[in-house]
Amino acid sequence: MTQSKCPVCGCKKFHVKNPEDDYDIYEFECRDGEVCFDEEMDAGECPEVNDATETFCNQCAWHDKFNKIK
């Protein structure tokens, strides 16, 4: 299994923001190009993440479109 890493710091954890509330975030890892949200997240509450979704590193200031880490 290949796990994506931040291109700047190498962190394996990322997050996306809720489009309706910038302070509400959803953490995930990217394994084999697939978004894997934390297990305690209800699948119905997780946002859709596609290639154009703005994605943020959990450790540094990097952010870009999801397809850059996929």
Side-chain angles (χ1 to χ4, degrees):
M1 170 175 19
T2 304
Q3 192 167 15
S4 297
K5 297 178 185 176
C6 172
V8 174
C9 72
C11 180
K12 297 177 183 177
K13 289 275 201 172
F14 302 92
H15 69 270
V16 293
K17 295 180 179 179
N18 181 336
E20 276 138 56
D21 181 358
D22 281 344
Y23 298 103
D24 191 14
I25 64 170
Y26 300 92
E27 294 184 355
F28 68 92
E29 294 180 0
C30 181
R31 298 183 201 123
D32 295 327
E34 297 294 320
V35 173
C36 300
F37 287 101
D38 291 337
E39 291 180 10
E40 55 271 355
M41 289 287 301
D42 180 15
E45 294 179 10
C46 296
E48 178 184 347
V49 177
N50 59 42
D51 285 350
T53 302
E54 189 74 11
T55 305
F56 300 83
C57 175
N58 271 11
Q59 190 167 328
C60 74
W62 178 88
H63 65 95
D64 206 335
K65 304 296 181 204
F66 176 69
N67 66 352
K68 297 290 183 178
I69 61 166
K70 198 164 101 168

